[in-house]
Amino acid sequence: HESPMLSLDKTKERESLRGFIGDQKTLLSWKMDGLTIVLTYREGKLEKAVTRGNGVIGEVVTNNAKVFDNIPLQIPYQDELVLRGEAIITYSDFEKINSQIEDVDAKYKNPRNLCSGSVRQLNNEITAKRHVRFYAFGLVKAEGIDFHNSKQNQMEWLRAQGFDIVEYQVVTEDTMDDAIDYFSQKVQNNDFPSDGLVALYDDIAYGESLGRTAKFPRNAFAFKWADEM
């Protein structure tokens, strides 16, 4: 990976999250529970897809990523683009696939395990039948584009390139509670697994200036549902 993919520091307490947000405009989005994938495009074509792996080195899964339900194989942007996102399988597809497996011991425990197995298939025809979906949550590299120092602008640019992006809301410490209430009500009926929310500073330069600890980046923070830690 171009830069190490670190875990996020996390909390279940709203006040800890409020302390993280402080006076910063912040993007609050789903923390999807699937498999993180890094995509590289060159000359508008998907060139490489790699799993998160240990954060430094991942598995190459390009052939399988090409058959994900919603990954664009061709995009308008022609220079090198590197982005990160989550590969997931919906609960409804998970239940449908599991119901077709007769051996009880061979059934998958949850959508995440099924997604992980599907993304690593040696035969991408099997992957194609599993209806893996990809939701972008972060841009790593897109030279020559001015995002006006805004993560939100990066997300909307990725959307314009044809990617499905993770649902997010822009919050401040004052509007954070309404957004958490919205997400925590919606999660109960979502068709995809989520184990919490991710808070990310909109101000790119400020976020980068904070650096990281040995384990965590300082520009992002995870808020876990009460029963998920």
Side-chain angles (χ1 to χ4, degrees):
H1 298 299
E2 291 218 351
S3 56
M5 300 186 66
L6 304 175
S7 302
L8 296 183
D9 202 357
K10 56 185 183 281
T11 183
K12 283 192 282 192
E13 306 299 327
R14 289 194 183 205
E15 290 316 306
S16 298
L17 182 61
R18 200 185 315 279
F20 168 80
I21 293 172
D23 60 357
Q24 290 295 315
K25 180 176 157 188
T26 300
L27 272 58
L28 202 59
S29 64
W30 294 117
K31 188 174 187 300
M32 289 183 156
D33 193 17
L35 194 69
T36 300
I37 306 274
V38 184
L39 303 180
T40 302
Y41 285 75
R42 284 198 182 91
E43 296 178 355
K45 292 187 179 67
L46 176 61
E47 185 175 86
K48 191 167 68 172
V50 184
T51 65
R52 180 178 185 273
N54 63 7
V56 179
I57 296 168
E59 272 175 78
V60 177
V61 290
T62 312
N63 281 345
N64 293 348
K66 286 178 177 174
V67 297
F68 288 0
D69 274 10
N70 64 335
I71 275 188
L73 298 179
Q74 191 85 36
I75 60 169
Y77 180 71
Q78 293 295 299
D79 290 337
E80 185 181 30
L81 167 65
V82 183
L83 70 148
R84 294 173 179 170
E86 199 79 354
I88 59 130
I89 288 177
T90 61
Y91 284 123
S92 42
D93 282 324
F94 165 72
E95 280 155 17
K96 198 182 300 175
I97 292 160
N98 242 4
S99 69
Q100 294 161 359
I101 300 171
E102 289 177 7
D103 179 357
V104 174
D105 293 334
K107 287 182 187 280
Y108 288 90
K109 285 195 176 72
N110 53 49
R112 182 184 185 164
N113 287 4
L114 175 60
C115 182
S116 185
S118 303
V119 169
R120 294 189 169 96
Q121 285 291 333
L122 296 177
N123 177 353
N124 77 357
E125 288 175 20
I126 296 173
T127 310
K129 291 175 184 164
R130 299 281 178 81
H131 297 295
V132 181
R133 301 184 66 79
F134 176 86
Y135 290 90
F137 62 63
L139 187 145
V140 180
K141 183 179 184 184
E143 287 176 357
I145 307 285
D146 183 0
F147 295 107
H148 301 286
N149 195 38
S150 165
K151 288 280 185 189
Q152 183 181 11
N153 288 349
Q154 288 185 339
M155 292 288 277
E156 293 307 323
W157 182 81
L158 286 172
R159 196 201 300 268
Q161 292 296 312
F163 296 97
D164 285 337
I165 62 171
V166 108
E167 183 187 4
Y168 70 89
Q169 289 197 14
V170 178
V171 302
T172 63
E173 58 183 345
D174 298 328
T175 61
M176 175 199 93
D177 288 299
D178 288 343
I180 291 176
D181 291 343
Y182 162 82
F183 282 116
S184 55
Q185 282 170 351
K186 196 169 178 187
V187 73
Q188 296 161 38
N189 300 311
N190 275 352
D191 197 19
F192 60 83
S194 162
D195 54 356
L197 302 172
V198 174
L200 178 68
Y201 293 140
D202 181 61
D203 185 325
I204 297 170
Y206 174 71
E208 286 176 355
S209 75
L210 299 174
R212 58 185 195 227
T213 67
K215 288 169 71 178
F216 308 120
R218 288 198 173 104
N219 68 338
F221 203 66
F223 178 79
K224 301 286 247 185
W225 309 126
D227 56 354
E228 282 283 356
M229 287 293 262

